Amino acid sequence: MTVQKRTIGAFDVHPVGLGCMSLSHAYGPAQDHADAVAFLRRAVDIGYDFLDTATIYGMGNNEKLIGEALNGRRHEFVLASKCVLDFKDGKRRIDGHPDAIRDACEASLKRLQTDVIDLYYMHMPDPNVPLEDSIGALADLVRQGKIRMIGLSEMSADMLRRAHAVHPIAAMQSEYSLMTRNPEIAVIETCRELGVTFVPFSPVGRGYLADKPLDPNGYHKGDLRRSFPRFTDPHFSANLPLLDKVRRHAKHLSCTVAQLALAWTLAQDKNAVPIPGTTNSQHLEDNFNAAAVDIPADMLVQLNTEFAADAVSGARYSAAAQATVTTERFAFED
């Protein structure tokens, strides 16, 4: 399969990257260590060349996993990690102070077994630290050669502009899928204007946009979706007709629902690099091959109409989680 690569800063990558979070936590227990190591090696063998992790994933264990699994293959992929959402004494914390960012980077470099992180994101804003101070610390890390590019995650278009004025921002990561259209309010257009690559996370709707239906009564006790309104009733049931629609479109194209969802993100923004996560080897291959799925123009129009932002029942985050980010919201969400 030959597909045109997409650009993140100075790097050209396959249009579909790999989010590594679910190997360590979020939607269920951590994968067996040996299985996770084999999974990551298989991903790079397939051709994945953009891997995304973060300090907080598995309290550092996700970075350790990548460092161990891909030691000696660092030149084969672009590596992204994140700081600010950190941990201390086994507890999560948000700390965007320059000293904390520097310390977090040193710890990540050690866990990842590398001398440089290609793309280092602020995982979320720290309301107690001026954004410009945090970006200044990241700019220092670029000058020191410890990171190559700076990224932002879950921030508004205004914060992207402010950060970009301090130091060029290479990528903006935010949730974007048929189920979550918020980046269309301002972030995607601002990325285009500034030459920033948009990186959609959860592009298959946190597993909702898949051939196998989720069971809202069967989530693992540690599953994040237990706290997200649209993944619990009454909203989950209210959204089932949308799933029926996307399945019909996928059947028409002879692809999986997840492949259709990924192809949609790729078509919405010709520069975007979505990073679906999975622990399933078949899904790993399917997601990679979604870059070759071509959605006809009339189907794109249908999908955009059927999955209009106000057609989805339930908020994407709980009120507490929403308060930690600055992403734009539609008027009807207030």
mmCIF file of all heavy atoms in Angstrom, residues 177-181 184 230 239 242 245 264 301-313 330 332:
data_model
loop_
_atom_site.group_PDB
_atom_site.id
_atom_site.type_symbol
_atom_site.label_atom_id
_atom_site.label_comp_id
_atom_site.label_asym_id
_atom_site.label_seq_id
_atom_site.Cartn_x
_atom_site.Cartn_y
_atom_site.Cartn_z
ATOM 1 N N SER A 177 -13.411 13.380 16.343
ATOM 2 C CA SER A 177 -13.977 12.221 15.657
ATOM 3 C C SER A 177 -15.365 12.601 15.181
ATOM 4 O O SER A 177 -15.837 13.720 15.412
ATOM 5 C CB SER A 177 -14.070 11.015 16.612
ATOM 6 O OG SER A 177 -15.103 11.212 17.574
ATOM 7 N N LEU A 178 -16.027 11.677 14.520
ATOM 8 C CA LEU A 178 -17.413 11.899 14.155
ATOM 9 C C LEU A 178 -18.259 12.244 15.379
ATOM 10 O O LEU A 178 -19.250 12.973 15.281
ATOM 11 C CB LEU A 178 -17.979 10.648 13.470
ATOM 12 C CG LEU A 178 -17.560 10.417 12.023
ATOM 13 C CD1 LEU A 178 -17.849 8.966 11.615
ATOM 14 C CD2 LEU A 178 -18.272 11.386 11.083
ATOM 15 N N MET A 179 -17.867 11.747 16.538
ATOM 16 C CA MET A 179 -18.623 11.971 17.771
ATOM 17 C C MET A 179 -18.250 13.285 18.465
ATOM 18 O O MET A 179 -19.004 13.776 19.295
ATOM 19 C CB MET A 179 -18.395 10.819 18.748
ATOM 20 C CG MET A 179 -18.751 9.446 18.212
ATOM 21 S SD MET A 179 -20.527 9.219 18.032
ATOM 22 C CE MET A 179 -21.038 9.195 19.742
ATOM 23 N N THR A 180 -17.090 13.831 18.149
ATOM 24 C CA THR A 180 -16.586 15.016 18.835
ATOM 25 C C THR A 180 -16.048 16.002 17.804
ATOM 26 O O THR A 180 -14.941 15.827 17.287
ATOM 27 C CB THR A 180 -15.478 14.653 19.838
ATOM 28 O OG1 THR A 180 -16.005 13.735 20.806
ATOM 29 C CG2 THR A 180 -14.946 15.878 20.560
ATOM 30 N N ARG A 181 -16.829 17.030 17.524
ATOM 31 C CA ARG A 181 -16.506 17.942 16.431
ATOM 32 C C ARG A 181 -15.942 19.295 16.917
ATOM 33 O O ARG A 181 -15.715 20.198 16.105
ATOM 34 C CB ARG A 181 -17.772 18.198 15.602
ATOM 35 C CG ARG A 181 -18.504 16.965 15.089
ATOM 36 C CD ARG A 181 -17.808 16.315 13.911
ATOM 37 N NE ARG A 181 -17.831 17.163 12.734
ATOM 38 C CZ ARG A 181 -18.801 17.151 11.804
ATOM 39 N NH1 ARG A 181 -19.823 16.316 11.935
ATOM 40 N NH2 ARG A 181 -18.733 17.944 10.746
ATOM 41 N N GLU A 184 -13.501 21.854 15.205
ATOM 42 C CA GLU A 184 -13.945 22.587 14.024
ATOM 43 C C GLU A 184 -14.374 24.015 14.367
ATOM 44 O O GLU A 184 -14.497 24.859 13.473
ATOM 45 C CB GLU A 184 -15.096 21.840 13.351
ATOM 46 C CG GLU A 184 -14.686 20.493 12.773
ATOM 47 C CD GLU A 184 -15.868 19.692 12.247
ATOM 48 O OE1 GLU A 184 -16.983 20.255 12.159
ATOM 49 O OE2 GLU A 184 -15.682 18.496 11.916
ATOM 50 N N ARG A 230 -21.484 10.691 27.675
ATOM 51 C CA ARG A 230 -22.024 10.075 26.458
ATOM 52 C C ARG A 230 -21.781 8.570 26.374
ATOM 53 O O ARG A 230 -22.315 7.904 25.491
ATOM 54 C CB ARG A 230 -21.491 10.770 25.204
ATOM 55 C CG ARG A 230 -20.030 10.563 24.882
ATOM 56 C CD ARG A 230 -19.642 11.287 23.601
ATOM 57 N NE ARG A 230 -20.122 12.669 23.582
ATOM 58 C CZ ARG A 230 -19.594 13.625 22.821
ATOM 59 N NH1 ARG A 230 -18.579 13.349 22.018
ATOM 60 N NH2 ARG A 230 -20.065 14.845 22.865
ATOM 61 N N ASN A 239 -27.547 7.454 21.432
ATOM 62 C CA ASN A 239 -26.627 7.585 20.306
ATOM 63 C C ASN A 239 -26.559 6.338 19.411
ATOM 64 O O ASN A 239 -25.910 6.372 18.364
ATOM 65 C CB ASN A 239 -25.217 7.907 20.811
ATOM 66 C CG ASN A 239 -25.118 9.328 21.334
ATOM 67 O OD1 ASN A 239 -25.720 10.247 20.785
ATOM 68 N ND2 ASN A 239 -24.358 9.511 22.404
ATOM 69 N N LEU A 242 -26.966 6.519 15.614
ATOM 70 C CA LEU A 242 -25.818 7.040 14.872
ATOM 71 C C LEU A 242 -24.874 5.908 14.480
ATOM 72 O O LEU A 242 -24.311 5.894 13.382
ATOM 73 C CB LEU A 242 -25.061 8.061 15.717
ATOM 74 C CG LEU A 242 -25.773 9.381 15.998
ATOM 75 C CD1 LEU A 242 -24.956 10.213 16.984
ATOM 76 C CD2 LEU A 242 -26.001 10.157 14.715
ATOM 77 N N LYS A 245 -26.026 4.116 11.451
ATOM 78 C CA LYS A 245 -25.768 4.854 10.217
ATOM 79 C C LYS A 245 -24.334 4.670 9.740
ATOM 80 O O LYS A 245 -24.083 4.433 8.560
ATOM 81 C CB LYS A 245 -26.071 6.339 10.432
ATOM 82 C CG LYS A 245 -27.546 6.638 10.627
ATOM 83 C CD LYS A 245 -27.788 8.112 10.919
ATOM 84 C CE LYS A 245 -29.281 8.369 11.139
ATOM 85 N NZ LYS A 245 -29.562 9.799 11.431
ATOM 86 N N TRP A 264 -12.471 9.421 7.754
ATOM 87 C CA TRP A 264 -13.195 10.687 7.874
ATOM 88 C C TRP A 264 -12.294 11.777 8.444
ATOM 89 O O TRP A 264 -12.264 12.899 7.940
ATOM 90 C CB TRP A 264 -14.428 10.497 8.756
ATOM 91 C CG TRP A 264 -15.203 11.753 8.981
ATOM 92 C CD1 TRP A 264 -16.170 12.296 8.184
ATOM 93 C CD2 TRP A 264 -15.050 12.647 10.093
ATOM 94 N NE1 TRP A 264 -16.632 13.475 8.730
ATOM 95 C CE2 TRP A 264 -15.961 13.712 9.898
ATOM 96 C CE3 TRP A 264 -14.242 12.648 11.229
ATOM 97 C CZ2 TRP A 264 -16.081 14.763 10.794
ATOM 98 C CZ3 TRP A 264 -14.350 13.702 12.131
ATOM 99 C CH2 TRP A 264 -15.266 14.740 11.909
ATOM 100 N N VAL A 301 -20.488 14.326 2.871
ATOM 101 C CA VAL A 301 -21.563 15.273 3.168
ATOM 102 C C VAL A 301 -22.600 14.621 4.081
ATOM 103 O O VAL A 301 -23.055 15.226 5.060
ATOM 104 C CB VAL A 301 -22.225 15.766 1.866
ATOM 105 C CG1 VAL A 301 -23.482 16.579 2.186
ATOM 106 C CG2 VAL A 301 -21.244 16.602 1.059
ATOM 107 N N GLN A 302 -22.948 13.374 3.769
ATOM 108 C CA GLN A 302 -23.921 12.650 4.596
ATOM 109 C C GLN A 302 -23.411 12.475 6.016
ATOM 110 O O GLN A 302 -24.136 12.716 6.991
ATOM 111 C CB GLN A 302 -24.217 11.276 3.992
ATOM 112 C CG GLN A 302 -25.222 11.274 2.874
ATOM 113 C CD GLN A 302 -25.567 9.848 2.480
ATOM 114 O OE1 GLN A 302 -24.812 9.175 1.773
ATOM 115 N NE2 GLN A 302 -26.706 9.373 2.948
ATOM 116 N N LEU A 303 -22.167 12.052 6.151
ATOM 117 C CA LEU A 303 -21.597 11.832 7.471
ATOM 118 C C LEU A 303 -21.568 13.122 8.289
ATOM 119 O O LEU A 303 -21.888 13.134 9.482
ATOM 120 C CB LEU A 303 -20.182 11.256 7.353
ATOM 121 C CG LEU A 303 -20.091 9.782 6.955
ATOM 122 C CD1 LEU A 303 -18.666 9.436 6.513
ATOM 123 C CD2 LEU A 303 -20.518 8.884 8.111
ATOM 124 N N ASN A 304 -21.177 14.214 7.649
ATOM 125 C CA ASN A 304 -21.101 15.479 8.360
ATOM 126 C C ASN A 304 -22.473 15.971 8.808
ATOM 127 O O ASN A 304 -22.601 16.642 9.837
ATOM 128 C CB ASN A 304 -20.414 16.533 7.492
ATOM 129 C CG ASN A 304 -18.914 16.344 7.454
ATOM 130 O OD1 ASN A 304 -18.312 15.872 8.412
ATOM 131 N ND2 ASN A 304 -18.294 16.695 6.341
ATOM 132 N N THR A 305 -23.499 15.607 8.047
ATOM 133 C CA THR A 305 -24.857 15.973 8.421
ATOM 134 C C THR A 305 -25.385 15.060 9.526
ATOM 135 O O THR A 305 -25.942 15.519 10.524
ATOM 136 C CB THR A 305 -25.789 15.901 7.200
ATOM 137 O OG1 THR A 305 -25.321 16.815 6.198
ATOM 138 C CG2 THR A 305 -27.218 16.256 7.581
ATOM 139 N N GLU A 306 -25.193 13.753 9.331
ATOM 140 C CA GLU A 306 -25.696 12.781 10.307
ATOM 141 C C GLU A 306 -25.023 12.927 11.663
ATOM 142 O O GLU A 306 -25.635 12.702 12.702
ATOM 143 C CB GLU A 306 -25.509 11.365 9.765
ATOM 144 C CG GLU A 306 -26.380 11.055 8.562
ATOM 145 C CD GLU A 306 -25.964 9.780 7.837
ATOM 146 O OE1 GLU A 306 -24.861 9.250 8.130
ATOM 147 O OE2 GLU A 306 -26.721 9.321 6.973
ATOM 148 N N PHE A 307 -23.733 13.279 11.644
ATOM 149 C CA PHE A 307 -22.968 13.417 12.883
ATOM 150 C C PHE A 307 -22.702 14.885 13.212
ATOM 151 O O PHE A 307 -21.640 15.225 13.743
ATOM 152 C CB PHE A 307 -21.649 12.645 12.778
ATOM 153 C CG PHE A 307 -21.809 11.163 12.914
ATOM 154 C CD1 PHE A 307 -22.184 10.392 11.821
ATOM 155 C CD2 PHE A 307 -21.601 10.535 14.129
ATOM 156 C CE1 PHE A 307 -22.338 9.013 11.934
ATOM 157 C CE2 PHE A 307 -21.751 9.165 14.250
ATOM 158 C CZ PHE A 307 -22.126 8.397 13.156
ATOM 159 N N ALA A 308 -23.661 15.730 12.912
ATOM 160 C CA ALA A 308 -23.541 17.127 13.335
ATOM 161 C C ALA A 308 -23.329 17.165 14.846
ATOM 162 O O ALA A 308 -23.794 16.289 15.582
ATOM 163 C CB ALA A 308 -24.806 17.891 12.954
ATOM 164 N N ALA A 309 -22.603 18.172 15.295
ATOM 165 C CA ALA A 309 -22.231 18.231 16.718
ATOM 166 C C ALA A 309 -23.423 18.102 17.652
ATOM 167 O O ALA A 309 -23.346 17.425 18.680
ATOM 168 C CB ALA A 309 -21.485 19.530 16.993
ATOM 169 N N ASP A 310 -24.548 18.715 17.278
ATOM 170 C CA ASP A 310 -25.708 18.671 18.166
ATOM 171 C C ASP A 310 -26.553 17.416 17.997
ATOM 172 O O ASP A 310 -27.578 17.262 18.661
ATOM 173 C CB ASP A 310 -26.578 19.913 17.981
ATOM 174 C CG ASP A 310 -27.081 20.079 16.557
ATOM 175 O OD1 ASP A 310 -26.773 19.225 15.704
ATOM 176 O OD2 ASP A 310 -27.790 21.072 16.295
ATOM 177 N N ALA A 311 -26.092 16.483 17.139
ATOM 178 C CA ALA A 311 -26.804 15.212 16.977
ATOM 179 C C ALA A 311 -26.339 14.170 17.983
ATOM 180 O O ALA A 311 -26.978 13.123 18.152
ATOM 181 C CB ALA A 311 -26.611 14.678 15.561
ATOM 182 N N VAL A 312 -25.238 14.441 18.660
ATOM 183 C CA VAL A 312 -24.670 13.504 19.626
ATOM 184 C C VAL A 312 -25.151 13.854 21.025
ATOM 185 O O VAL A 312 -25.025 14.997 21.474
ATOM 186 C CB VAL A 312 -23.127 13.522 19.581
ATOM 187 C CG1 VAL A 312 -22.544 12.564 20.610
ATOM 188 C CG2 VAL A 312 -22.641 13.168 18.178
ATOM 189 N N SER A 313 -25.700 12.884 21.715
ATOM 190 C CA SER A 313 -26.238 13.098 23.053
ATOM 191 C C SER A 313 -25.151 12.921 24.113
ATOM 192 O O SER A 313 -24.395 11.950 24.087
ATOM 193 C CB SER A 313 -27.378 12.102 23.314
ATOM 194 O OG SER A 313 -27.907 12.267 24.613
ATOM 195 N N PHE A 330 -19.333 24.192 21.870
ATOM 196 C CA PHE A 330 -20.452 24.742 21.106
ATOM 197 C C PHE A 330 -21.419 25.434 22.047
ATOM 198 O O PHE A 330 -21.516 25.103 23.233
ATOM 199 C CB PHE A 330 -21.165 23.627 20.336
ATOM 200 C CG PHE A 330 -20.355 23.041 19.223
ATOM 201 C CD1 PHE A 330 -19.663 21.843 19.398
ATOM 202 C CD2 PHE A 330 -20.268 23.676 17.994
ATOM 203 C CE1 PHE A 330 -18.903 21.293 18.376
ATOM 204 C CE2 PHE A 330 -19.508 23.149 16.966
ATOM 205 C CZ PHE A 330 -18.819 21.961 17.143
ATOM 206 N N PHE A 332 -24.556 25.204 22.351
ATOM 207 C CA PHE A 332 -25.567 24.333 22.956
ATOM 208 C C PHE A 332 -25.017 23.503 24.108
ATOM 209 O O PHE A 332 -25.775 22.885 24.849
ATOM 210 C CB PHE A 332 -26.185 23.413 21.895
ATOM 211 C CG PHE A 332 -25.235 22.398 21.315
ATOM 212 C CD1 PHE A 332 -24.986 21.198 21.960
ATOM 213 C CD2 PHE A 332 -24.607 22.644 20.105
ATOM 214 C CE1 PHE A 332 -24.112 20.262 21.430
ATOM 215 C CE2 PHE A 332 -23.736 21.713 19.560
ATOM 216 C CZ PHE A 332 -23.476 20.511 20.213
#
